[in-house]
Amino acid sequence: MKIILLGAPGAGKGTVAKRLTALDGSVQISTGDILRGAVQAGTELGKEAKGFMDRGDLVPDSLIMGIMEGRLQEADCKNGFLLDGFPRTIPQAEALKALLTKLGIKLDMVVDIEVPRDVILDRLCTRRTCENSQCQAIYNVKSMPPKVEGICDKCGSKIIQRADETEAAISHRLDTYNEKTAPLVGFYRTEGIMKTVTGTSSDAVVEAIKSELGM
Ligand code: ADP
Ligand code: ZN
């Protein structure tokens, strides 16, 4: 499948994407994961992105398009991909459209995952992430704790609260989402491939996407 997942921070894009990859071998492409990996590795990209990310601001479109232009041409995208956290602005959506046309790729669907703001806030404050950039598994201290406190089930690394998951940065990220990313719903509705899923449970969202794709 070739799908874009839209939805506010904390809507469950990453969790839904990971479950969908298990269905047909599509890969999850999370620009947030790629950027956090670059920050941790101390690459030029990471150095440029870090300040924006820590404040909860968007990284400039040009950096993101540089990443995605290369990523979408890697061999593992042949089986399909789930874009998680990209595009995030109208210029990114326009650049993606041109890139997909150039590569001869057609999207199946754009899914907007709608979750009430109070649920989102609660989730983000209790979310924890594996610090190993190769893993970045997601946990939740309330609803999905690791088996051993503070330790990743999958790789044994430490589980941390992200630098941009303070209350101030979270609230700024939600405002940024409403201002810059929410307009993409209108953009893709015009394209005729938009599907809105209301879901407080990621299972329900996965099921809705499967049935939409006839799986
Ligand atoms: P969340 O969806 O929880 O906000 P992400 O992991 O998708 O988190 O993104 C974390 C941060 O990485 C964002 O706040 C932003 O600074 C940066 N980022 C990720 N994807 C993009 C993108 N497509 N455009 C601009 N900035 C991005
Ligand atoms: Zn891990």
Side-chain angles (χ1 to χ4, degrees), residues 6 14 20-21 27-28 35 41 47 49 54 64 66 78 81-82 91 109 130 156 175 194 197 214:
L6 294 178
L20 292 172
T21 59
V27 287
Q28 175 192 13
L35 291 167
K47 283 180 200 149
D54 286 350
I64 299 291
K78 288 258 161 8
F81 49 76
L82 298 140
M109 188 166 53
C130 171
D175 291 344
M194 188 67 218
V197 179

Side-chain angles (χ1 to χ4, degrees), residues 129-139 151-159:
T129 309
C130 171
E131 71 168 359
N132 170 6
S133 61
Q134 302 301 311
C135 177
Q136 303 202 30
I138 297 165
Y139 297 90
I151 303 293
C152 178
D153 293 348
K154 300 200 174 92
C155 77
S157 300
K158 242 174 49 192
I159 289 168

Side-chain angles (χ1 to χ4, degrees), residues 9 13 31-32 36 57 59 64 85 88 92 127 162 173:
K13 300 184 295 292
T31 39
R36 277 185 294 278
D57 281 328
V59 169
I64 299 291
R88 258 216 190 34
Q92 287 180 22
R127 179 155 86 176
R162 273 165 43 181
R173 276 159 60 213

